[in-house]
Amino acid sequence: MQAFRIQVPDKKIVPALVDKINNLTKPKGSLGRLEELAVQIGTIQQTLSPRLEKPQNIIFAADHGIVKEGVSFSAPEVTAQAIPNFLKGGAGINMFCRQHHFDLKIVDCGVNFDFNGLPGLIDRKIRKGTRNYLYEAAMTEEEFDRAIAIGAEMVDLVYSEGTNIISFGEMGIANTSSSSLWMTYLTGISLEQCVGAGSGLDKTGISHKYNVLKRSMENYTGDSSVPDVLRYFGGYEMVAAVGAMLRAAELRMIILIDGFIMTNCLLAAQKLYPAVMEYCIFGHQGDEVGHKLVLDYLGARALLHLDLRLGEGTGAICAFPIIDSAVRMINEMNDFKKAAVTKYFD
């Protein structure tokens, strides 16, 4: 696995950011979370006048071998079927990207289908889906390293295009199963609390999913290190997202975190490089049962709680206008002196 140099942003600028915000024409602290976001973004960018430049969302797509065990409500072929819909602009993520002026990139890391040079699709296929981790590791060490590198490569691409704020999404049937296993191993939260409905399982389906994942844990023979857990139970799209988050933090980009799957990818990234958290803004708390638990474990507060569970980056992009408001606040509001308004607090 490639190494990353992620630095905690210099906090010396924080008092100046707070002072600027406190002198805007409003009661002190009256814009709440917006003020916190402005301080965080200003600290990341090391400026009193932060900017959001060319936001982009990257969807990593891949299939999971564990899908053969009936752990998902959706059919295995849905991963491949979703790709043309993304590229034609007909998915939920496309609508949100258009609404909030995000560019969108779709990356095939390991979909079980031959797209034959489909226009607009970035082809980085490692393999046609991971192996079934009920019986063996999902990927080899070499494949794991390739997935990390793909994520980093995609971030380098958008960074070269002028992007400084980025979100990530995923497409991969059964990836809530892999996320649940990452979550239980990396947090110590019981597997039962980590397993939810995914794309729509009923109580019987959730019970079956839990039993399959429990058996997978019982069959695991690895060393329980973070890289080994990620490799054994992960998906190519999930590992690529981990690499992408780490590279984005290394480049001092603002990272918008989406739902259950992407939060568990951030959990994995944080276990490898704790400083990645400094660059993250959590878009929403989703409807998947374990999402609140993993957010609480990370000490994270989501901006929205709309019971979303679509994935693809949709919840992160829904939260973007709040982040935009925070930046506009610190840049566009007058201070008391310029507005000729009496400052009525110390």
Side-chain angles (χ1 to χ4, degrees), residues 265-281:
C265 290
L266 187 273
L267 168 69
Q270 184 264 349
K271 290 293 182 179
L272 295 168
Y273 291 88
V276 70
M277 288 287 291
E278 301 279 343
Y279 299 88
C280 295
I281 297 172

Side-chain angles (χ1 to χ4, degrees), residues 36-159:
E36 296 175 20
L37 288 169
V39 170
Q40 181 184 2
I41 295 168
T43 304
I44 289 170
Q45 297 183 356
Q46 292 291 290
T47 177
L48 300 181
S49 301
R51 293 286 186 270
L52 304 179
E53 303 289 350
K54 199 175 182 182
Q56 297 207 43
N57 184 68
I58 301 175
I59 293 180
F60 298 105
D63 279 301
H64 292 243
I66 195 67
V67 76
K68 298 172 185 176
E69 306 302 324
V71 295
S72 176
F73 181 77
S74 300
E77 61 267 22
V78 169
T79 305
Q81 292 170 350
I83 302 301
N85 193 36
F86 290 144
L87 295 174
K88 292 175 183 177
I93 189 62
N94 299 103
M95 177 270 291
F96 288 120
C97 284
R98 286 191 295 268
Q99 180 184 10
H100 300 302
H101 308 290
F102 272 65
D103 286 345
L104 177 65
K105 288 182 169 59
I106 313 297
V107 185
D108 174 11
C109 300
V111 180
N112 187 21
F113 188 80
D114 288 317
F115 290 106
N116 298 318
L118 183 64
L121 180 63
I122 299 174
D123 182 6
R124 295 295 184 274
K125 195 188 300 288
I126 297 170
R127 186 177 183 270
K128 288 186 176 180
T130 55
R131 298 160 187 83
N132 186 346
Y133 52 68
L134 179 60
Y135 305 108
E136 59 181 323
M139 63 190 79
T140 66
E141 292 183 9
E142 179 185 5
E143 290 167 352
F144 174 82
D145 290 346
R146 283 183 62 194
I148 290 285
I150 288 166
E153 177 198 357
M154 292 302 105
V155 169
D156 282 338
L157 174 61
V158 301
Y159 185 78

Side-chain angles (χ1 to χ4, degrees), residues 69-71 134 177 180-181 184 189-196 201-218:
E69 306 302 324
V71 295
L134 179 60
S177 293
S180 296
L181 288 170
T184 191
I189 297 170
S190 70
L191 177 63
E192 187 173 12
Q193 292 178 282
C194 301
V195 176
L201 291 172
D202 58 16
K203 289 184 179 180
T204 300
I206 294 171
S207 178
H208 172 73
K209 178 179 177 179
Y210 167 79
N211 287 325
V212 170
L213 300 186
K214 184 173 182 291
R215 286 164 51 206
S216 299
M217 293 178 70
E218 291 168 350

